[in-house]
Amino acid sequence: MTSDARPALPAPTDEVVDLCRDLLRIDTTNTGDNATSTGERLAAEYVAEKLAEVGVDSVLHESAPGRANVIARIPGTDPSRGALLVHGHLDVVPADPAEWSVHPFSGELRDGYLWGRGAIDMKDFDAMVLAVVRHWQRTGVRPPRDIVLAYTADEEAGSDYGAHFLTSRHRELFDGCTEAIGEVGGFSYSVDESRRLYLIETAEKGIDWLRLHAKGRPGHGSMVHDDNAVTALAEAVARIGRHRFPVVVTDTVRAFLEEVSELLGIELDPEDPETAIAKLGPIANIIGATIRNTANPTRLAAGYKENVIPGRASATIDCRSLPGQSELLERQLRELIGPDIAIEYIQRQPALETTFDGALVEAMSAALRAEDPGAHPVPYMLSGGTDAKAFSQLGIRCFGFAPLRLPADLNFSALFHGIDERVPVDGLQFGVRVLDRFLRTC
């Protein structure tokens, strides 16, 4: 007796776990230095191979040896419509295995989570998109509009070898793209057992990474010395680190706070938004950083011997500016540090802000509500930055929408660049279902 029954096709909600685990096991650490960054080409080749297995052609572009990016286009049924860009980066920040409960590149499955560096920043989304596209190719689904897939390098160090390289050297790959979705949006925040906010990123702060340089008179460490570069720099860094910039509530943050205060029954004082934000629990850190410019010292460098007073000292400051306030932030910093310390910009990329309306927003909201009847989509501003900064320069309207339904007690914001980064498996599977619905209807 024979049977012509074909083996069942893998469900995308099952396959996403394997795809995400594979990606987590590829160490794509981006140190900010080409000589020590690793793994991006290997990850890009993995993505290209998984696309090729189901008949999707892609192109791989290296901006420097090992710094690889993958682009593919999925044809839609209506070529007259603008294309949708779906982008995700493959690089991750460094991780010290000694600080983790599991090895950060093990992709270990434990307690209902996938653990590893990049689990939520952002190999989870990379895997979700791959799972949906592979399912479509196997089952003959075509989206209503062209979808351009971009898997990029170097997002964690400013995107010079990734999205900025692509938009400056290969912008033809994005011809026709009018809108985009990427990371850090569409995740849930539990109001109660039956209601959840889903934060969709419509704005993100600017990146103003800078280096301060102080000069002084070199000398012997045993002498009284009144022109010490280290002292001058340390005083300036301390003033910056302790300073709190004025509160400014943008349109996006105001819309978020109004929605949240109504749902949570929190009184919102427009003159004192911090009181309401403090009641938001785990997401208070993200939202609290979006009501003012910020500047955090992150690195110091000076000297070459214990008994030598150096003639130069430097510090790196991670500054993030609100939309339209980059120049104001520079003036504010100059007042803090004084005239004798030089400012050098390492990265200067503008903040972004769009409105929470239109057909794409409606499609996101509908997909979330279809999978979670308790969903309340709201706009928000990301305190960090993404590859959207590069793609917006092509006139593309960018959103953060990488949907995840999260456990109510998970401190999601603490996982970004933190230890024991992990993503809930059922959250991954939820994201696949939402993306499938959204991309079929957007």
Side-chain angles (χ1 to χ4, degrees):
M1 182 175 179
T2 62
S3 172
D4 59 358
R6 297 179 181 178
L9 296 174
T13 49
D14 293 332
E15 189 174 38
V16 69
V17 178
D18 293 331
L19 293 169
C20 189
R21 181 190 292 144
D22 288 349
L23 286 169
L24 291 174
R25 288 174 174 171
I26 302 172
D27 180 352
T28 54
T29 297
N30 184 354
T31 63
D33 178 1
N34 281 354
T36 54
S37 295
T38 186
E40 286 171 334
R41 183 174 181 105
L42 185 60
E45 289 172 344
Y46 173 87
V47 170
E49 177 186 346
K50 292 300 177 182
L51 291 173
E53 284 178 358
V54 292
V56 176
D57 294 330
S58 62
V59 292
L60 189 150
H61 288 287
E62 268 195 338
S63 51
R67 313 307 300 269
N69 304 271
V70 178
I71 309 292
R73 185 178 286 254
I74 312 297
T77 57
D78 185 356
S80 68
R81 293 188 58 193
L84 176 71
L85 171 63
V86 180
H87 61 93
H89 63 86
L90 294 168
D91 62 318
V92 300
V93 296
D96 181 357
E99 298 176 333
W100 284 56
S101 301
V102 303
H103 194 283
F105 299 105
S106 65
E108 184 168 331
L109 186 60
R110 179 197 289 188
D111 301 328
Y113 287 83
L114 266 179
W115 298 61
R117 175 60 87 217
I120 52 97
D121 187 16
M122 60 173 297
K123 291 179 178 179
D124 57 339
F125 182 68
D126 296 336
M128 290 181 212
V129 174
L130 265 182
V132 170
V133 168
R134 282 166 63 84
H135 177 66
W136 283 3
Q137 291 296 114
R138 293 180 180 121
T139 56
V141 174
R142 289 187 65 190
R145 61 200 289 194
D146 283 10
I147 293 176
V148 175
L149 307 178
Y151 289 85
T152 62
D154 197 37
E155 190 274 345
E156 296 292 1
S159 308
D160 288 345
Y161 293 95
H164 283 296
F165 164 77
L166 291 171
T167 55
S168 63
R169 299 282 296 276
H170 300 283
R171 63 185 305 159
E172 73 283 353
L173 295 170
F174 309 101
D175 284 350
C177 289
T178 57
E179 297 168 308
I181 62 168
E183 64 177 323
V184 202
F187 59 92
S188 68
Y189 165 75
S190 294
V191 176
D192 51 39
E193 290 185 2
S194 62
R195 297 180 300 168
R196 279 157 295 281
L197 298 176
Y198 283 87
L199 282 66
I200 296 175
E201 187 210 308
T202 59
E204 60 182 51
K205 294 179 78 174
I207 297 175
D208 302 81
W209 294 345
L210 52 86
R211 193 168 286 125
L212 305 183
H213 298 286
K215 293 182 179 180
R217 188 177 69 254
H220 198 290
S222 67
M223 304 293 182
V224 176
H225 204 88
D226 60 1
D227 186 20
N228 190 314
V230 175
T231 302
L233 180 75
E235 290 172 342
V237 167
R239 288 193 295 271
I240 291 173
R242 295 193 180 101
H243 186 71
R244 292 297 174 265
F245 295 88
V247 170
V248 177
V249 180
T250 61
D251 291 343
T252 295
V253 174
R254 182 177 294 106
F256 170 83
L257 290 175
E258 288 173 352
E259 289 265 8
V260 170
S261 61
E262 182 177 345
L263 280 169
L264 297 182
I266 298 173
E267 183 178 350
L268 175 61
D269 180 355
E271 301 301 317
D272 181 25
E274 290 177 290
T275 297
I277 290 171
K279 298 176 181 178
L280 297 180
I283 62 169
N285 283 342
I286 292 180
I287 305 304
T290 63
I291 60 171
R292 53 167 48 92
N293 296 325
T294 58
N296 284 305
T298 55
R299 302 181 74 177
L300 293 168
Y304 50 88
K305 198 172 187 296
E306 288 77 7
N307 61 349
V308 176
I309 297 171
R312 187 179 180 89
S314 64
T316 303
I317 314 293
D318 183 347
C319 302
R320 308 291 174 136
S321 55
L322 294 169
Q325 294 209 4
S326 180
E327 292 182 1
L328 172 62
L329 175 58
E330 183 177 347
R331 294 196 297 271
Q332 292 170 330
L333 289 169
R334 176 53 67 194
E335 291 176 3
L336 284 172
I337 66 176
D340 298 328
I341 293 179
I343 294 177
E344 171 198 2
Y345 277 91
I346 305 168
Q347 287 282 346
R348 197 172 195 181
Q349 300 187 42
L352 305 177
E353 189 166 29
T354 189
T355 52
F356 190 61
D357 56 18
L360 197 73
V361 170
E362 292 172 4
M364 294 179 202
S365 300
L368 286 167
R369 292 190 183 107
E371 291 297 331
D372 181 1
H376 291 265
V378 294
Y380 93 109
M381 179 185 293
L382 176 65
S383 58
T386 74
D387 279 339
K389 295 189 184 307
F391 296 124
S392 66
Q393 294 176 3
L394 302 182
I396 298 172
R397 187 184 183 204
C398 296
F399 296 86
F401 187 65
L404 283 174
R405 180 168 172 172
L406 301 169
D409 60 350
L410 180 67
N411 189 346
F412 184 61
S413 64
L415 298 177
F416 285 85
H417 299 187
I419 62 172
D420 288 344
E421 185 179 349
R422 59 198 183 277
V423 64
V425 170
D426 57 2
L428 270 179
Q429 295 170 331
F430 172 86
V432 168
R433 295 193 300 270
V434 172
L435 280 176
D436 188 18
R437 286 180 181 274
F438 165 68
L439 294 172
R440 287 176 189 249
T441 57
C442 68

